[in-house]
Amino acid sequence: MTPVDIASEVIALERGALDRWGHGDPLGYVELFDEDVTYFDPFQAHRLGRIETTALMQSVTGQIRVDRYDMQKPKVQCTGDVAVLSFNLVSYRTDEGCERAISSWNSTEVYRRTPRGWRIFHSHWSFIRPELKDANPEAM
Amino acid sequence: MTPVDIASEVIALERGALDRWGHGDPLGYVELFDEDVTYFDPFQAHRLGRIETTALMQSVTGQIRVDRYDMQKPKVQCTGDVAVLSFNLVSYRTDEGCERAISSWNSTEVYRRTPRGWRIFHSHWSFIRPELKDANPEAM
C-alpha cells in the first residue's frame, strides 16, 4: 500500500465510525479500538484505557445525534505500520429546519496495521478554542 | 532497544523539553520536532504545521514560567519505529511562598525514530475538563 492508499483507507474507517456515531451508535469506534487503546476527551479526569473507554462508549449509546459533520483537512502521517490521522471536526444538528454547529474538535487518531485491519491504539479529542469560564487562564 | 528502553528515552526527552519550557525556553520542543510535525493546542483555530508551530514557540519565548510540573502516569505505546507518549500534566507556579496549579493537560506526543534520535511528528495538547462558559455544552 502506498501512503495515499493508507490515508484513504484510514479516513474511510474514521468516517464509517463517525457516521455510526452520529446515529447514536458508538460501537463503530469500539470495533476499531485495538486491545491497548488509550483515550483522552475533555470530559474525563484522566486518560482512559480500553475497558473504561468501551464502557464510556456503551454508556452514550443512543444518546448522540449529529445530523452532519465536516471533517476538515484530514491528514495522515505514515511511519511503518502506524498511521496518525489528525483533523478538525465540526458537528451540526438540524432542529425545526435550522442547522447549527453543536461542537468543534481537534482530533487525533493513531492507527496501527493489524492482521484484522487498521486499528486505533490512541485517540485524543479536544475542543477547538473552548470558551472558558475564567476568561484569562494562565495558559502555560 | 526494548520497549522499556524506548519508554525511558522518550520520557526523558519530553522531560528535558518540559524543563526548558518551564524556564521560558520552548526551543527544547522545537529541537524535538520532526520536519512534518503537526500540532494541536486549545488556543489555535486549527491544526498547525511545522512553520506555524515553530513561529508559535518562538513567540512565547521568555513568557512562560512553570516552577514545578507533575507528569502523571506517562505511558509509551511502541509499534515499530513509532512511540506514542501520553500523559496528564499539572503545572504549578509559586508566588510569595504559595504554590498553586496553573493548568492541567491531556498530552499526546507521537515520536518516531530518526537517524538524529527520537523526534515528535504529532503533538496534541488539551485542557483536562475545561470549565466552559456555556455550562451545558451539547458535547457530542
Side-chain angles (χ1 to χ4, degrees):
Chain A
M1 287 179 90
T2 69
V4 173
D5 292 336
I6 294 170
S8 299
E9 182 164 344
V10 161
I11 291 169
L13 288 171
E14 189 75 22
R15 283 188 175 279
L18 281 170
D19 291 342
R20 289 176 64 178
W21 177 268
H23 290 90
D25 175 15
L27 300 185
Y29 274 112
V30 173
E31 290 169 14
L32 282 180
F33 291 153
D34 214 348
E35 286 170 18
D36 60 339
V37 70
T38 52
Y39 176 90
F40 286 130
D41 82 26
F43 308 104
Q44 315 308 319
H46 51 75
R47 187 187 56 221
L48 305 187
R50 171 158 188 151
I51 291 170
E52 293 167 305
T53 308
T54 302
L56 172 66
M57 296 292 142
Q58 288 169 338
S59 75
V60 296
T61 298
Q63 295 180 33
I64 307 148
R65 199 189 101 215
V66 175
D67 295 320
R68 186 172 72 84
Y69 63 82
D70 183 16
M71 182 192 277
Q72 297 173 344
K73 295 192 184 170
K75 186 178 175 78
V76 179
Q77 294 168 275
C78 298
T79 293
D81 287 335
V82 172
V84 179
L85 167 63
S86 60
F87 55 98
N88 289 120
L89 184 80
V90 183
S91 299
Y92 298 89
R93 200 176 290 170
T94 299
D95 288 300
E96 299 174 4
C98 178
E99 184 181 78
R100 65 205 163 85
I102 53 169
S103 54
S104 59
W105 301 90
N106 291 323
S107 310
T108 298
E109 301 284 37
V110 188
Y111 285 80
R112 68 158 71 90
R113 195 195 311 261
T114 79
R116 294 161 293 114
W118 291 89
R119 289 293 180 273
I120 295 169
F121 69 100
H122 179 71
S123 181
H124 189 153
W125 292 83
S126 67
F127 297 129
I128 300 175
R129 295 208 283 201
E131 274 202 84
L132 301 179
K133 207 176 260 180
D134 174 2
N136 188 26
E138 287 163 285
M140 297 162 174
Chain B
M1 287 179 90
T2 68
V4 173
D5 291 336
I6 293 171
S8 299
E9 181 165 344
V10 160
I11 291 169
L13 288 171
E14 189 76 23
R15 284 188 175 280
L18 280 171
D19 291 343
R20 289 176 63 179
W21 176 269
H23 288 91
D25 175 15
L27 300 185
Y29 274 112
V30 173
E31 291 168 15
L32 283 180
F33 291 153
D34 214 348
E35 285 168 19
D36 60 338
V37 71
T38 52
Y39 176 89
F40 286 130
D41 82 27
F43 308 105
Q44 316 306 319
H46 51 75
R47 186 188 57 221
L48 305 186
R50 172 158 186 149
I51 291 171
E52 293 167 303
T53 309
T54 302
L56 173 66
M57 296 291 142
Q58 288 169 339
S59 76
V60 296
T61 298
Q63 295 178 32
I64 307 148
R65 200 189 101 215
V66 175
D67 295 320
R68 184 171 74 82
Y69 64 83
D70 183 16
M71 182 191 276
Q72 297 173 343
K73 296 192 184 171
K75 184 178 175 78
V76 179
Q77 294 167 275
C78 297
T79 293
D81 286 335
V82 172
V84 179
L85 168 62
S86 59
F87 55 99
N88 290 119
L89 184 80
V90 183
S91 299
Y92 298 88
R93 199 176 289 169
T94 300
D95 288 300
E96 300 174 5
C98 178
E99 183 181 78
R100 67 206 162 85
I102 53 170
S103 54
S104 59
W105 302 90
N106 292 323
S107 310
T108 298
E109 301 282 39
V110 188
Y111 285 79
R112 70 158 70 90
R113 194 196 310 262
T114 79
R116 294 160 292 115
W118 291 89
R119 289 294 181 273
I120 295 168
F121 68 101
H122 179 70
S123 181
H124 188 153
W125 292 83
S126 67
F127 296 129
I128 300 175
R129 294 208 283 201
E131 275 202 82
L132 301 178
K133 208 176 260 181
D134 174 1
N136 189 23
E138 285 163 287
M140 296 163 175

